[in-house]
Amino acid sequence: MKMEGVKQIAIVGTGMIATSLAVLTTGHGYPTVMLSLSEDLTAASKKTYDGFYEQMIQRGLLTREQAEICARYLSYTMNYRDLAQSDVAFECVLEVLEVKHQVYQALEDTCPNLKAICSVSSALVVDLLREGMEKYRSKILVTHPFNPPHMVPYFELDAGSETEPQVVEFVRELLESMGRKPVLLKKSAPGFIGNRLQFALWREAVHIVESGIADSRDVDTCLMYSFCPRYTSIGIFEHFDNGGLDLNLNTCKSIFPDLCNDTTPPEAVSQRVARGDLGYKTGKGFYDWTGVDHDAFQKRVTEPYWGFFNWTLPTE
């Protein structure tokens, strides 16, 4: 249900996350202005935006006419002054503090009525982001999504030490109005919740490969066909409560001493990066991506999330 009192949403940036957010906001009837650095970036973002809606049309989730209505809620600009009427701004720029601080300064200078500034930072905590801010120092928070946010419902909110409680509630209500599942951290931590869990799993996965226990394909097969699907319908604490914490305790005693506890990046990753094997974009990483149908791969990436689509689309 669309939230009353939100006349315009600003999105600073035109990358994948920013464009996906625009799909989400316009798909729920919120007028949205995206700040771009160039006409080329605008064109690339619009192509991606249209592509996301085309996917939804092909899935039968909306009609082409409905997609056209949603698109009318989106505009692009290269001038911060065109964001002046915005009630909330999503900052979606590089993970570089200096760049983000420049954005916040520009928003303070040109947007007089912002109720919140939402950063999609994946690791930087709010107390670092707000350094140098004045007018909106208490109105900034992290709203970290997982890509693409128009499909993945989860957002984690980091309010830091100074963000006003009413700002947090406003942003939570706004995200919930778009069918998202926001979670508020009790305190700031690098990587928030999702990336801390994901990278703890990644550290052990690489350790298993480095130790010769299994190869990368075996590890991926384990994840896809054992416990990962379970966690799309129940949580890990629910699972272990259900199994019995006495059994859990005994298993912890057996496994924990042998788990990886490295505090530096894995050699298997560092060595690949050093020789230029960066994954799909260079053709080789842990896998050889030569000849892989990437469109088919992307369909596999998004497949689990289509079931979350329950939008109330604008009608005019």
Side-chain angles (χ1 to χ4, degrees):
M1 183 68 69
K2 185 178 176 182
M3 186 176 176
E4 295 294 328
V6 179
K7 301 181 296 296
Q8 180 174 286
I9 293 175
I11 299 176
V12 182
T14 52
M16 186 67 71
I17 292 286
T19 304
S20 175
L21 275 173
V23 171
L24 179 68
T25 57
T26 59
H28 287 83
Y30 290 108
T32 301
V33 183
M34 295 187 73
L35 184 79
S36 176
L37 293 177
S38 71
E39 294 292 346
D40 287 345
L41 290 174
T42 296
S45 173
K46 189 64 170 66
K47 182 178 179 180
T48 301
Y49 177 93
D50 291 341
F52 281 139
Y53 269 103
E54 185 62 32
Q55 288 177 352
M56 291 188 278
I57 292 169
Q58 295 303 319
R59 298 284 301 201
L61 299 174
L62 46 73
T63 65
R64 196 165 301 281
E65 290 72 23
Q66 288 174 313
E68 290 171 356
I69 291 172
C70 294
R72 292 202 288 267
Y73 284 84
L74 177 64
S75 61
Y76 289 84
T77 183
M78 289 189 286
N79 193 327
Y80 272 95
R81 293 189 185 91
D82 293 327
L83 309 183
Q85 300 306 310
S86 300
D87 300 286
V88 57
F90 285 90
E91 170 267 298
C92 308
V93 300
L94 297 173
E95 283 286 272
V96 178
L97 272 174
E98 182 181 358
V99 175
K100 292 181 182 294
H101 290 162
Q102 291 171 356
V103 170
Y104 306 148
Q105 182 62 62
L107 291 173
E108 287 190 325
D109 291 343
T110 57
C111 299
N113 301 310
L114 286 179
K115 299 174 183 176
I117 296 176
C118 305
S119 174
V120 301
S121 172
S122 59
L124 296 171
V125 297
V126 173
D127 288 345
L128 289 176
L129 296 176
R130 69 164 51 93
E131 290 177 354
M133 295 182 70
E134 296 179 4
K135 179 179 179 180
Y136 291 134
R137 186 178 181 85
S138 64
K139 296 187 184 298
I140 184 171
L141 74 165
V142 167
T143 52
H144 175 236
F146 279 72
N147 195 33
H150 75 280
M151 293 189 66
V152 184
Y154 177 70
F155 276 72
E156 43 200 12
L157 311 186
D158 175 21
S161 60
E162 297 183 33
T163 307
E164 298 170 356
Q166 61 266 34
V167 172
V168 177
E169 287 308 308
F170 166 75
V171 172
R172 190 205 300 267
E173 186 177 347
L174 176 63
L175 291 172
E176 288 177 343
S177 78
M178 295 184 283
R180 304 305 90 182
K181 298 292 184 182
V183 170
L184 176 63
L185 275 68
K186 291 184 176 181
K187 67 176 184 178
S188 292
F192 313 117
I193 301 171
N195 274 334
R196 291 176 77 91
L197 292 173
Q198 185 170 217
F199 276 82
L201 178 58
W202 174 238
R203 178 171 63 180
E204 186 59 34
V206 176
H207 177 67
I208 288 170
V209 173
E210 288 182 320
S211 300
I213 298 171
D215 63 24
S216 54
R217 181 68 69 183
D218 293 332
V219 174
D220 281 353
T221 298
C222 170
L223 295 177
M224 291 188 291
Y225 296 101
S226 63
F227 62 87
C228 280
R230 172 191 300 138
Y231 295 132
T232 63
S233 55
I234 66 168
I236 193 168
F237 286 96
E238 287 182 309
H239 168 62
F240 284 120
D241 262 4
N242 182 60
L245 293 181
D246 49 343
L247 172 61
N248 179 272
L249 177 62
N250 289 331
T251 307
C252 288
K253 289 177 180 178
S254 298
I255 295 177
F256 275 22
D258 199 51
L259 292 178
C260 180
N261 61 0
D262 291 344
T263 58
T264 56
E267 282 295 313
V269 176
S270 299
Q271 290 171 0
R272 283 171 170 79
V273 171
R275 62 177 180 255
D277 293 337
L278 307 182
Y280 168 75
K281 61 184 176 182
T282 60
K284 189 175 182 181
F286 283 91
Y287 289 132
D288 183 349
W289 291 88
T290 306
V292 172
D293 184 339
H294 200 250
D295 288 340
F297 176 77
Q298 287 301 319
K299 288 181 180 179
R300 288 171 52 207
V301 171
T302 56
E303 192 62 35
Y305 297 102
W306 288 116
F308 293 123
F309 187 91
N310 60 348
W311 296 7
T312 301
L313 295 160
T315 58
E316 58 182 12

